[in-house]
Amino acid sequence: MKIAHNWLKDYVALRETPERTAEILTAIGLEVEAIEEREAVKGGLQGVVVGEVLTCAPHPDADKLRVTTVDVGAGEPLQIVCGAPNVAAGQKVPVATVGATLYFANGDEVKIKKSKLRGVESWGMICAEDELGLGASHEGIMTLDAALAPGTPLREALSLESDTIFEIGLTPNRVDAASHVGVARDLAAYLNLPLQSPVRDVDAMTLRKGSGRGIAITVVNSDACPRYTGVTIRGVTVAPSPEWLQKRLAAIDVRAINNVVDITNYVLHEIGQPLHAFDADRIAGGEVIVKTCPEGTKFVTLDGIERTLSAHDLMICNAREPMCIGGVFGGPAHGITEATTSVFLESAYFNPVWIRKTARRHGLSTDASFRYERGADPQVTPAALRRAAALILEIAGGDIVGDIIDVYPAPVAPAVVSLSYARIRRLIGKTIDSDTIIDILRRLDFDIRETTAEGLSVAVPTYRVDVTRECDVIEEILRIYGYNNIEIPTHTTLSIAPGMHSGKETMQQTASDYLVGNGFYEMMNNSLTRAEYYRPLQTFPESKMVRILNPLSSDLNVLRQTLLFGGLESIAHNINRRQTDVKLFEWGHCYAFDADAHAHDTTLGAYVETLQLALFATGFTSALHWRRPQERSDFFYLKGFVEGILTRFGIDVFRLEMAVAPSDLFAEGIRYSQKGRVCATLGVVSSAQRAVFDIRQPVYAAEISGDWLLKAVRSTRVRYAELPKFPEVRRDLALVVDEAVTYAQLRDIAFKTERNLLQRVSLFDVYRGDKLPSGKKQYALSFILQDKEKTLTDQHIERIMDALLKAFEQHFAATLR
């Protein structure tokens, strides 16, 4: 949410700098996430001052140039060569001094330097409007008020006001601060300053009235709309808004539309109360009816989309048709246009639950729904209406027709909370005197109903929908008193429950330590994701998606079936910020829906939740270094880490079944499985999937079943043995085998042939070439032999190697090369 510093000063007399104001806002719970300086003119006219032309003479070597001396209020007058035809002695002009940077209206950027023009030195520049970015005119230099003093910064001379914009990360419970008055109210309470609220005196305002009958109001569904206020204004002239109003809206990035619509937006961001303006002449039957429509009713919203309404969508209707989705989005047929002369202005309090469900149902999020679904203030609706009506009468003209109609059958009573001083002291950890507590609460608009020696009773202002309990009120006291004013206690009382990590936590921590130690970074992604990712897939079909009934947005409408897409989003995020060498991993749960199980079990038994570990690598494997060349990530690089994790937990990778895994996610990939259950997948992410995220470099990804891994870890027994005293022996074989033969098959046969003395088998070379018959390849294998009881003799070793070679010949027709 954007808040303008200058706008805040309309309601509270801030003397603090914007930086200090940001610190205060963060300290009282309105965290300022960013501060942006906004200048009326790009560059803020830094280095541009008012100058007085003392002399003006023709250039000795150029007919169209003039040599001037200009007093800029500092030291000796400057000699400036000027080509404008209208420059003359005695003028007050804008002067860009040496070092200033000018931003021209055409987009050019010029830094002023000392120069020579036809042999005459020039120490600055006398400027035209377009050269200052103040207009498009280049007919001559800009002349200023003769009363201005030389040396006055031009920004001050022209009253060009810069502004500071705060980006506030508003928490969901603080909708009362979703406006400039709301933020100013907290600042006033903290600084103990009076609040100049535009709604306090609005009830006493006399609004210009004309004759005639206004639009009638009927509220059919008072549960969805507890309060509805409206007024009719006729004789309005719709036109562009005055400059001050356009600037106010532009400061917070709200686009100006026309004076009537801009006023509703202005009041929204000023007070926090959403308003809606209808063309009164288009309201059929002269009546606004607040009700629901039959299920399936069609309605076109302002964005041109035809929506199918639910019977639980509250609609603002006329006698013939719906005009607006109440509190969410309007329609194009009844809005304000240049031809509008009569306006019906709406200010309402809608049930937050109704608005939230409707907004989610239609995938809409507007400034109005943002506030209504969190809980607007039911008491401010008539004041906001009068405020907007007064501005319309002032800016757009017209007269009020009829009375302001306020339908409020069941007024909302403020919550009453009892406070105990002892409880305040215990929760805050400090004794705050009762006078200070009462003063803070009054500054926060709490009504003190009763006070005793033990505590007090207060009525909560209706705009604080989140304050309903004693602890809520105590939190309000503390944030205005100041968290930093609470001393750190000399001792801490706590209870520690001893316990050990579960096997799952230990497994995750061990694997994470291994990956972090090898240069990976852990990430955490949202388990909610986009259904669009799964629609074209067969590996994770759309039919297995777990859908969210009321999604926050179309980007978060299903639960993830795989960690792959979250990882690709993170990689794209990094690459877009010039971090192209990325190694990431994530532990997370994935979800699937089993339609067949759902047919027999309508409970949660149809939903499957699994734990997964995902690994990603792209770019170079290490930073640039003068001693070694950089290597790029590849399939085997990531495969090494997958097998490294499995080996770390005592899992023999070669006892797993490994096969090529056809997939619409991977261009090339393999799958590890055990007894038919997939344990892990690994591959090169396909170009089609990378294109979805605009990733142009190869990405390698793996996903390991955390549930399988945990089960395997629990069944693995760790055996400790004394280090052998006798040496190992290594022997190598170069075998020529068919292309279909795998290293895993050779390894398996080797261990079956020699079960006692064979310790390790490794593949250290693969050769394919014209020196071998077609369809053949050479594997160079090393065999580590060791007897723990004695030193092996050459004869014993030869017998073992002969047995291995014979086994390879028998099972794979292998020949020794």
Side-chain angles (χ1 to χ4, degrees):
M1 182 187 69
K2 294 184 184 297
I3 294 293
H5 187 249
N6 289 341
W7 197 343
L8 283 177
K9 291 191 286 189
D10 285 356
Y11 315 119
V12 60
L14 287 175
R15 292 183 291 274
E16 283 70 18
T17 64
E19 291 73 20
R20 175 55 184 155
T21 301
E23 292 175 3
I24 293 171
L25 288 173
T26 299
I28 59 179
L30 302 177
E31 183 180 2
V32 176
E33 297 178 337
I35 301 177
E36 179 186 355
E37 296 296 328
R38 292 279 179 89
E39 296 165 331
V41 177
K42 187 176 180 180
L45 298 179
Q46 293 292 328
V48 183
V49 299
V50 175
E52 181 179 1
V53 181
L54 302 178
T55 65
C56 180
H59 191 288
D61 198 26
D63 294 340
K64 294 184 178 181
L65 298 180
R66 301 287 186 273
V67 180
T68 66
T69 55
V70 183
D71 178 11
V72 292
E76 294 294 322
L78 301 179
Q79 178 175 279
I80 298 176
V81 178
C82 179
N86 64 328
V87 64
Q91 291 175 332
K92 296 291 178 64
V93 293
V95 177
T97 57
V98 173
T101 300
L102 299 181
Y103 299 89
F104 288 15
N106 64 4
D108 290 346
E109 181 178 328
V110 176
K111 185 169 184 178
I112 304 302
K113 301 177 182 178
K114 173 191 172 184
S115 60
K116 275 189 177 182
L117 298 175
R118 295 288 185 94
V120 178
E121 288 187 342
S122 182
W123 293 80
M125 178 177 174
I126 303 175
C127 304
E129 283 185 6
D130 65 328
E131 294 165 338
L132 296 170
L134 295 172
S137 174
H138 194 69
E139 295 178 357
I141 61 168
M142 183 178 178
T143 57
L144 305 173
D145 187 344
L148 292 172
T152 303
L154 187 62
R155 180 180 62 255
E156 296 179 11
L158 299 180
S159 299
L160 297 177
E161 191 178 49
S162 61
D163 202 353
T164 301
I165 308 302
F166 303 120
E167 183 73 39
I168 295 179
L170 200 65
T171 52
N173 65 309
R174 290 303 310 276
V175 69
D176 64 290
S179 66
H180 285 77
V181 167
V183 173
R185 184 165 48 215
D186 270 12
L187 286 171
Y190 182 84
L191 297 170
N192 200 9
L193 296 172
L195 177 68
Q196 304 298 325
S197 175
V199 301
R200 286 190 172 167
D201 300 324
V202 76
D203 290 336
M205 293 173 58
T206 301
L207 301 178
R208 189 170 59 250
K209 296 191 65 173
S211 59
R213 180 174 175 270
I215 300 296
I217 298 173
T218 300
V219 177
V220 176
N221 192 330
S222 58
D223 176 53
C225 180
R227 188 171 195 177
Y228 193 93
T229 311
V231 66
T232 306
I233 307 173
R234 299 199 184 277
V236 171
T237 301
V238 177
S241 295
E243 185 180 4
W244 71 266
L245 181 52
Q246 293 191 42
K247 284 184 175 181
R248 275 288 161 89
L249 295 178
I252 55 172
D253 295 334
V254 176
R255 180 174 61 90
I257 299 174
N258 60 56
N259 49 10
V260 174
V261 175
D262 292 349
I263 287 168
T264 62
N265 286 330
Y266 176 80
V267 173
L268 166 69
H269 291 282
E270 178 187 50
I271 300 172
Q273 171 63 29
L275 304 171
H276 194 88
F278 299 90
D279 188 326
D281 292 332
R282 297 185 183 184
I283 299 177
E287 182 181 17
V288 165
I289 305 170
V290 184
K291 63 176 184 177
T292 55
C293 292
E295 184 77 28
T297 300
K298 303 296 183 182
F299 178 71
V300 178
T301 46
L302 273 173
D303 54 7
I305 297 175
E306 183 180 75
R307 303 180 187 274
T308 302
L309 300 179
S310 162
H312 298 286
D313 292 332
L314 184 67
M315 303 299 295
I316 312 301
C317 308
N318 58 35
R320 187 173 60 241
E321 61 190 350
M323 302 185 294
C324 172
I325 302 178
V328 180
F329 211 19
H334 303 87
I336 304 300
T337 67
E338 293 180 356
T340 299
T341 59
S342 298
V343 174
F344 174 74
L345 199 59
E346 163 198 286
S347 177
Y349 169 67
F350 296 113
N351 187 313
V353 175
W354 279 71
I355 300 303
R356 181 165 55 252
K357 288 184 176 180
T358 292
R360 299 297 173 268
R361 192 178 294 122
H362 295 287
L364 292 170
S365 179
T366 62
D367 283 337
S369 67
F370 175 86
R371 288 159 176 81
Y372 278 132
E373 67 187 28
R374 286 163 174 76
D377 180 9
Q379 305 302 342
V380 82
T381 56
L385 186 76
R386 292 179 70 89
R387 170 67 168 162
L391 287 171
I392 289 175
L393 296 183
E394 175 187 340
I395 295 171
D399 298 296
I400 301 290
V401 176
D403 296 323
I404 293 178
I405 302 174
D406 186 10
V407 181
Y408 196 20
V412 176
V416 177
V417 179
S418 296
L419 297 173
S420 161
Y421 291 136
R423 177 79 167 166
I424 294 172
R425 180 171 59 254
R426 191 170 74 83
L427 288 184
I428 291 180
K430 179 178 181 177
T431 300
I432 303 175
D433 65 84
S434 59
D435 290 341
T436 301
I437 291 172
I438 291 172
D439 178 54
I440 289 174
L441 291 173
R442 282 179 173 153
R443 282 189 259 157
L444 288 169
D445 285 347
F446 284 77
D447 181 22
I448 310 299
R449 294 288 179 87
E450 182 183 1
T451 61
T452 65
E454 290 75 29
L456 67 162
S457 175
V458 298
V460 181
T462 52
Y463 57 77
R464 288 308 307 270
V465 294
D466 61 317
V467 179
T468 57
R469 304 166 298 168
E470 182 184 29
C471 58
D472 297 330
V473 181
I474 295 173
E475 182 183 0
E476 291 300 294
I477 296 169
L478 178 56
R479 69 185 185 88
I480 299 301
Y481 181 78
Y483 293 99
N484 293 334
N485 292 325
I486 306 300
E487 295 79 6
I488 297 175
T490 56
H491 68 281
T492 302
T493 302
L494 71 158
S495 59
I496 300 176
M500 298 184 65
H501 288 302
S502 67
K504 175 183 173 183
E505 291 174 334
T506 302
M507 176 195 70
Q508 288 184 246
Q509 189 63 50
T510 301
S512 299
D513 288 345
Y514 169 79
L515 291 169
V516 169
N518 282 281
F520 282 76
Y521 287 89
E522 185 172 10
M523 60 180 171
M524 296 177 66
N525 288 302
N526 198 334
S527 57
L528 296 174
T529 186
R530 298 175 59 186
E532 292 296 325
Y533 291 153
Y534 297 94
R535 294 222 161 92
L537 298 183
Q538 297 299 321
T539 307
F540 296 101
E542 184 179 1
S543 61
K544 289 186 175 292
M545 292 193 302
V546 179
R547 300 178 183 274
I548 306 301
L549 293 179
N550 295 300
L552 295 172
S553 71
S554 59
D555 289 340
L556 301 170
N557 54 359
V558 297
L559 287 168
R560 63 189 176 193
Q561 294 187 62
T562 173
L563 302 179
L564 179 69
F565 298 121
L568 292 177
E569 286 177 349
S570 298
I571 288 172
H573 180 86
N574 279 273
I575 291 175
N576 291 339
R577 287 152 182 82
R578 299 182 179 276
Q579 300 297 319
T580 56
D581 306 328
V582 182
K583 293 193 294 184
L584 301 171
F585 75 95
E586 178 180 15
W587 286 99
H589 287 91
C590 295
Y591 309 84
F593 173 71
D594 188 339
D596 294 334
H598 186 66
H600 303 92
D601 184 358
T602 58
T603 63
L604 293 178
Y607 297 92
V608 180
E609 178 180 354
T610 59
L611 177 66
Q612 300 288 334
L613 168 62
L615 282 69
F616 299 87
T618 185
F620 288 106
T621 61
S622 60
L624 186 64
H625 195 276
W626 66 274
R627 291 190 63 187
R628 58 180 179 272
Q630 282 186 298
E631 296 182 356
R632 290 192 176 275
S633 300
D634 59 20
F635 173 84
F636 293 101
Y637 178 73
L638 192 62
K639 181 174 181 283
F641 289 113
V642 172
E643 295 185 351
I645 290 172
L646 301 182
T647 304
R648 175 66 182 80
F649 291 112
I651 297 170
D652 188 349
V653 177
F654 297 101
R655 294 189 181 277
L656 301 177
E657 302 162 16
M658 186 173 67
V660 175
S663 168
D664 41 17
L665 297 176
F666 298 129
E668 296 176 323
I670 60 173
R671 176 179 61 237
Y672 296 91
S673 56
Q674 186 180 57
K675 297 179 181 179
R677 178 180 178 180
V678 176
C679 311
T681 55
L682 166 69
V684 185
V685 177
S686 69
S687 58
Q689 293 300 327
R690 287 190 287 111
V692 173
F693 302 91
D694 195 26
I695 300 174
R696 295 181 174 84
Q697 63 190 56
V699 177
Y700 306 91
E703 204 163 27
I704 303 172
S705 169
D707 296 324
W708 167 82
L709 188 60
L710 178 60
K711 185 177 179 181
V713 169
R714 286 173 173 169
S715 62
T716 301
R717 293 183 179 180
V718 178
R719 295 182 175 89
Y720 298 92
E722 183 182 0
L723 288 173
K725 299 177 181 179
F726 300 97
E728 295 178 342
V729 176
R730 169 175 168 165
R731 290 290 186 270
D732 297 340
L733 290 178
L735 302 174
V736 177
V737 296
D738 292 337
E739 278 286 358
V741 176
T742 66
Y743 163 64
Q745 291 173 314
L746 294 170
R747 183 181 183 278
D748 186 54
I749 289 299
F751 277 108
K752 287 180 178 178
T753 303
E754 178 52 56
R755 300 176 183 272
N756 297 322
L757 302 183
L758 183 60
Q759 304 298 320
R760 296 190 301 279
V761 180
S762 60
L763 174 67
F764 63 89
D765 187 41
V766 178
Y767 172 74
R768 294 179 176 87
D770 55 8
K771 295 181 180 180
L772 295 177
S774 177
K776 297 289 185 177
K777 62 184 175 183
Q778 175 190 293
Y779 274 166
L781 303 176
S782 69
F783 302 85
I784 305 298
L785 305 171
Q786 187 179 46
D787 191 328
K788 298 177 182 179
E789 303 296 332
K790 62 179 183 289
T791 300
L792 290 172
T793 64
D794 289 341
Q795 293 81 1
H796 197 174
I797 294 169
E798 291 303 323
R799 284 198 302 271
I800 294 173
M801 296 308 298
D802 289 343
L804 289 174
L805 183 58
K806 185 176 180 180
F808 294 145
E809 291 172 349
Q810 179 181 348
H811 288 88
F812 307 111
T815 60
L816 189 64
R817 188 164 185 261

